[in-house]
Amino acid sequence: MDDVLSDEDIVAGVTIVPATMVGWDPYLGSIEAGKWADLLVLEGAGDEPYARLLEAKETAIRAVVIDGRVRLAEVDGLVTYSPLSAEQISIGGKPYVIDLAEAGPSGAGGMTLADAIEHIRFGLSKLPEFEKAGKKELFLAG
């Protein structure tokens, strides 16, 4: 039986298709000059990049770059990161660094991964109150 969607169709379904649906395709959703540089870099090479992406395990991640900034990278990997804002973590037993630091009052505001996880846990535990109140302050209070 033939697959309904190709591997390329599945990847497009979480990249360029939704970007186009909301009118953001001039800025993101594909790798093109002038677009925001959000990239997932995986180890290995081959003739079927979409299949490799869909079949990749978490330990195949070499780096995650968001808006041109390294946010996750293998320790001693192929990219450089800021030692002032990155913290070491382990993914699947491999050492990585993660950088959640963000200048200014918006964004992660320099929060650590542990802080971010705690905020998410708190927010999820208070989700009914959060939804009822319609205020982000409940979510951020954790």
Side-chain angles (χ1 to χ4, degrees):
M1 182 168 138
D2 292 332
D3 291 333
V4 175
L5 296 172
S6 69
D7 293 340
E8 185 174 359
D9 291 335
I10 293 169
V11 172
V14 297
T15 56
I16 192 63
V17 170
T20 302
M21 291 171 69
V22 297
W24 291 352
D25 54 306
Y27 311 104
L28 52 88
S30 60
I31 301 170
E32 297 177 58
K35 289 192 175 185
W36 295 339
D38 294 353
L39 301 170
L40 170 64
V41 181
L42 299 174
E43 64 186 20
D47 293 335
E48 298 184 33
Y50 298 106
R52 283 188 38 253
L53 173 62
L54 296 174
E55 295 168 4
K57 305 290 186 225
E58 63 187 4
T59 54
I61 297 171
R62 301 291 309 269
V64 175
V65 181
I66 300 174
D67 198 19
R69 183 170 167 195
V70 176
R71 293 301 190 153
L72 178 78
E74 289 180 307
V75 171
D76 300 326
L78 64 106
V79 297
T80 59
Y81 52 87
S82 171
L84 299 176
S85 56
E87 62 181 299
Q88 292 210 4
I89 62 168
S90 176
I91 298 175
K94 282 178 66 175
Y96 287 86
V97 291
I98 188 167
D99 185 349
L100 298 178
E102 199 64 48
S106 62
M111 130 181 357
T112 65
L113 180 60
D115 292 339
I117 291 169
E118 185 53 39
H119 278 269
I120 291 169
R121 281 192 181 127
F122 176 82
L124 290 174
S125 74
K126 301 293 184 184
L127 202 52
E129 296 111 86
F130 171 66
E131 184 177 15
K132 185 177 178 181
K135 295 182 179 178
K136 69 178 183 179
E137 289 81 17
L138 280 175
F139 183 74
L140 298 176

